[in-house]
mmCIF file of all heavy atoms in Angstrom:
data_model
loop_
_atom_site.group_PDB
_atom_site.id
_atom_site.type_symbol
_atom_site.label_atom_id
_atom_site.label_comp_id
_atom_site.label_asym_id
_atom_site.label_seq_id
_atom_site.Cartn_x
_atom_site.Cartn_y
_atom_site.Cartn_z
ATOM 1 N N SER A 1167 -41.097 41.146 47.029
ATOM 2 C CA SER A 1167 -40.846 39.824 47.619
ATOM 3 C C SER A 1167 -40.876 38.765 46.513
ATOM 4 O O SER A 1167 -41.235 39.049 45.364
ATOM 5 C CB SER A 1167 -41.923 39.511 48.655
ATOM 6 O OG SER A 1167 -43.184 39.361 48.003
ATOM 7 N N THR A 1168 -40.524 37.532 46.883
ATOM 8 C CA THR A 1168 -40.546 36.404 45.937
ATOM 9 C C THR A 1168 -41.920 36.287 45.262
ATOM 10 O O THR A 1168 -42.028 36.276 44.028
ATOM 11 C CB THR A 1168 -40.234 35.084 46.681
ATOM 12 O OG1 THR A 1168 -38.985 35.219 47.348
ATOM 13 C CG2 THR A 1168 -40.185 33.896 45.727
ATOM 14 N N THR A 1169 -42.972 36.216 46.094
ATOM 15 C CA THR A 1169 -44.320 36.055 45.540
ATOM 16 C C THR A 1169 -44.832 37.366 44.938
ATOM 17 O O THR A 1169 -45.592 37.345 43.977
ATOM 18 C CB THR A 1169 -45.307 35.555 46.617
ATOM 19 O OG1 THR A 1169 -45.216 36.423 47.756
ATOM 20 C CG2 THR A 1169 -44.994 34.132 47.042
ATOM 21 N N GLY A 1170 -44.384 38.501 45.501
ATOM 22 C CA GLY A 1170 -44.791 39.808 44.968
ATOM 23 C C GLY A 1170 -44.362 39.980 43.522
ATOM 24 O O GLY A 1170 -45.135 40.468 42.676
ATOM 25 N N PHE A 1171 -43.128 39.554 43.217
ATOM 26 C CA PHE A 1171 -42.640 39.652 41.833
ATOM 27 C C PHE A 1171 -43.435 38.725 40.915
ATOM 28 O O PHE A 1171 -43.869 39.127 39.825
ATOM 29 C CB PHE A 1171 -41.147 39.307 41.756
ATOM 30 C CG PHE A 1171 -40.621 39.251 40.352
ATOM 31 C CD1 PHE A 1171 -40.460 40.410 39.604
ATOM 32 C CD2 PHE A 1171 -40.323 38.029 39.750
ATOM 33 C CE1 PHE A 1171 -39.994 40.362 38.288
ATOM 34 C CE2 PHE A 1171 -39.861 37.966 38.443
ATOM 35 C CZ PHE A 1171 -39.700 39.142 37.713
ATOM 36 N N LEU A 1172 -43.655 37.475 41.351
ATOM 37 C CA LEU A 1172 -44.394 36.521 40.514
ATOM 38 C C LEU A 1172 -45.849 36.964 40.320
ATOM 39 O O LEU A 1172 -46.419 36.772 39.247
ATOM 40 C CB LEU A 1172 -44.314 35.122 41.124
ATOM 41 C CG LEU A 1172 -42.983 34.399 40.892
ATOM 42 C CD1 LEU A 1172 -42.815 33.227 41.843
ATOM 43 C CD2 LEU A 1172 -42.843 33.943 39.453
ATOM 44 N N ASP A 1173 -46.419 37.574 41.358
ATOM 45 C CA ASP A 1173 -47.783 38.118 41.224
ATOM 46 C C ASP A 1173 -47.819 39.219 40.162
ATOM 47 O O ASP A 1173 -48.761 39.295 39.363
ATOM 48 C CB ASP A 1173 -48.269 38.687 42.562
ATOM 49 C CG ASP A 1173 -48.656 37.591 43.554
ATOM 50 O OD1 ASP A 1173 -48.882 36.448 43.104
ATOM 51 O OD2 ASP A 1173 -48.712 37.881 44.768
ATOM 52 N N LYS A 1174 -46.784 40.056 40.161
ATOM 53 C CA LYS A 1174 -46.709 41.160 39.192
ATOM 54 C C LYS A 1174 -46.548 40.615 37.770
ATOM 55 O O LYS A 1174 -47.198 41.092 36.838
ATOM 56 C CB LYS A 1174 -45.555 42.092 39.554
ATOM 57 C CG LYS A 1174 -45.403 43.316 38.672
ATOM 58 C CD LYS A 1174 -46.645 44.182 38.608
ATOM 59 C CE LYS A 1174 -46.747 45.147 39.762
ATOM 60 N NZ LYS A 1174 -47.857 46.124 39.531
ATOM 61 N N VAL A 1175 -45.711 39.586 37.605
ATOM 62 C CA VAL A 1175 -45.567 38.944 36.286
ATOM 63 C C VAL A 1175 -46.898 38.349 35.869
ATOM 64 O O VAL A 1175 -47.332 38.491 34.717
ATOM 65 C CB VAL A 1175 -44.452 37.860 36.303
ATOM 66 C CG1 VAL A 1175 -44.430 37.087 34.977
ATOM 67 C CG2 VAL A 1175 -43.083 38.482 36.549
ATOM 68 N N GLY A 1176 -47.584 37.697 36.817
ATOM 69 C CA GLY A 1176 -48.895 37.096 36.529
ATOM 70 C C GLY A 1176 -49.917 38.124 36.088
ATOM 71 O O GLY A 1176 -50.676 37.908 35.125
ATOM 72 N N GLU A 1177 -49.910 39.262 36.748
ATOM 73 C CA GLU A 1177 -50.835 40.364 36.429
ATOM 74 C C GLU A 1177 -50.557 40.895 35.021
ATOM 75 O O GLU A 1177 -51.469 41.098 34.218
ATOM 76 C CB GLU A 1177 -50.564 41.467 37.469
ATOM 77 C CG GLU A 1177 -51.514 42.628 37.506
ATOM 78 C CD GLU A 1177 -51.002 43.657 38.536
ATOM 79 O OE1 GLU A 1177 -50.843 43.307 39.718
ATOM 80 O OE2 GLU A 1177 -50.738 44.797 38.112
ATOM 81 N N ASN A 1178 -49.264 41.070 34.710
ATOM 82 C CA ASN A 1178 -48.864 41.582 33.398
ATOM 83 C C ASN A 1178 -49.117 40.558 32.286
ATOM 84 O O ASN A 1178 -49.471 40.932 31.160
ATOM 85 C CB ASN A 1178 -47.396 41.997 33.403
ATOM 86 C CG ASN A 1178 -47.134 43.207 34.294
ATOM 87 O OD1 ASN A 1178 -48.060 43.969 34.581
ATOM 88 N ND2 ASN A 1178 -45.909 43.394 34.720
ATOM 89 N N LEU A 1179 -48.972 39.273 32.610
ATOM 90 C CA LEU A 1179 -49.227 38.230 31.620
ATOM 91 C C LEU A 1179 -50.711 38.181 31.286
ATOM 92 O O LEU A 1179 -51.104 38.032 30.119
ATOM 93 C CB LEU A 1179 -48.757 36.859 32.155
ATOM 94 C CG LEU A 1179 -48.958 35.659 31.221
ATOM 95 C CD1 LEU A 1179 -48.168 35.829 29.920
ATOM 96 C CD2 LEU A 1179 -48.563 34.354 31.910
ATOM 97 N N LYS A 1180 -51.547 38.356 32.319
ATOM 98 C CA LYS A 1180 -53.001 38.368 32.105
ATOM 99 C C LYS A 1180 -53.394 39.471 31.104
ATOM 100 O O LYS A 1180 -54.169 39.255 30.179
ATOM 101 C CB LYS A 1180 -53.704 38.596 33.451
ATOM 102 C CG LYS A 1180 -55.124 38.066 33.517
ATOM 103 C CD LYS A 1180 -55.717 38.217 34.902
ATOM 104 C CE LYS A 1180 -55.325 37.081 35.804
ATOM 105 N NZ LYS A 1180 -55.981 37.159 37.135
ATOM 106 N N LYS A 1181 -52.786 40.642 31.299
ATOM 107 C CA LYS A 1181 -53.044 41.761 30.386
ATOM 108 C C LYS A 1181 -52.570 41.451 28.973
ATOM 109 O O LYS A 1181 -53.249 41.698 27.994
ATOM 110 C CB LYS A 1181 -52.332 43.035 30.894
ATOM 111 C CG LYS A 1181 -52.947 43.656 32.124
ATOM 112 C CD LYS A 1181 -52.086 44.849 32.572
ATOM 113 C CE LYS A 1181 -52.432 45.273 33.984
ATOM 114 N NZ LYS A 1181 -51.396 46.165 34.550
#
Side-chain angles (χ1 to χ4, degrees):
S1167 67
T1168 304
T1169 53
F1171 174 71
L1172 283 163
D1173 285 342
K1174 183 57 84 171
V1175 173
E1177 189 184 302
N1178 293 338
L1179 180 62
K1180 205 175 276 184
K1181 288 176 195 165

